[in-house]
Amino acid sequence: MIERQETKQRMSRIVKHNGTVYLCGQVCADATQGIKEQTQTMLDKVDLLLDQAGSSRKHILSATIYIKDMKDFSEMNDVWDSWVPEGYAPARACVEASMAREALLVEISVIAAEK
């Protein structure tokens, strides 16, 4: 069975299937901030969605990070590294990409297991 939460015409914020949780791409809460703040508030949103879906950081299987400019890679990783629980690093990819809005610096897509 497929369960969709917060579904709109274009996407669902959460999709659950066979014990796996798929989150739609998440961006920051305030795009006027720098890369560290954007990364932190983006990850805060991931935490909320994972909790809503019955999962957590420790259950993330895979993360794809889209970063506007690789010059921000190190600062983004500083926030990421402190957010991921030790011993629970997921499979991860990070690519430089154009963003949907000019002010956005980072976006993430997450796949996790249910608790």
Side-chain angles (χ1 to χ4, degrees), residues 53-115:
S55 189
S56 72
R57 292 180 207 177
K58 290 183 177 181
H59 292 82
I60 296 175
L61 305 170
S62 175
T64 303
I65 299 171
Y66 305 92
I67 191 166
K68 184 175 182 176
D69 191 326
M70 280 297 179
K71 72 175 176 53
D72 292 328
F73 185 73
S74 179
E75 287 186 279
M76 180 275 299
N77 274 330
D78 288 344
V79 177
W80 171 264
D81 291 345
S82 66
W83 182 78
V84 174
E86 187 172 341
Y88 293 93
R92 189 187 103 162
C94 184
V95 298
E96 187 174 76
S98 296
M99 297 288 125
R101 295 189 331 253
E102 183 63 29
L104 293 172
L105 302 177
V106 64
E107 181 173 350
I108 191 168
S109 180
V110 170
I111 300 170
E114 288 183 283
K115 289 183 183 176

Side-chain angles (χ1 to χ4, degrees), residues 19-31:
T20 304
V21 174
Y22 303 85
L23 302 184
C24 69
Q26 294 300 304
V27 297
C28 64
D30 181 356

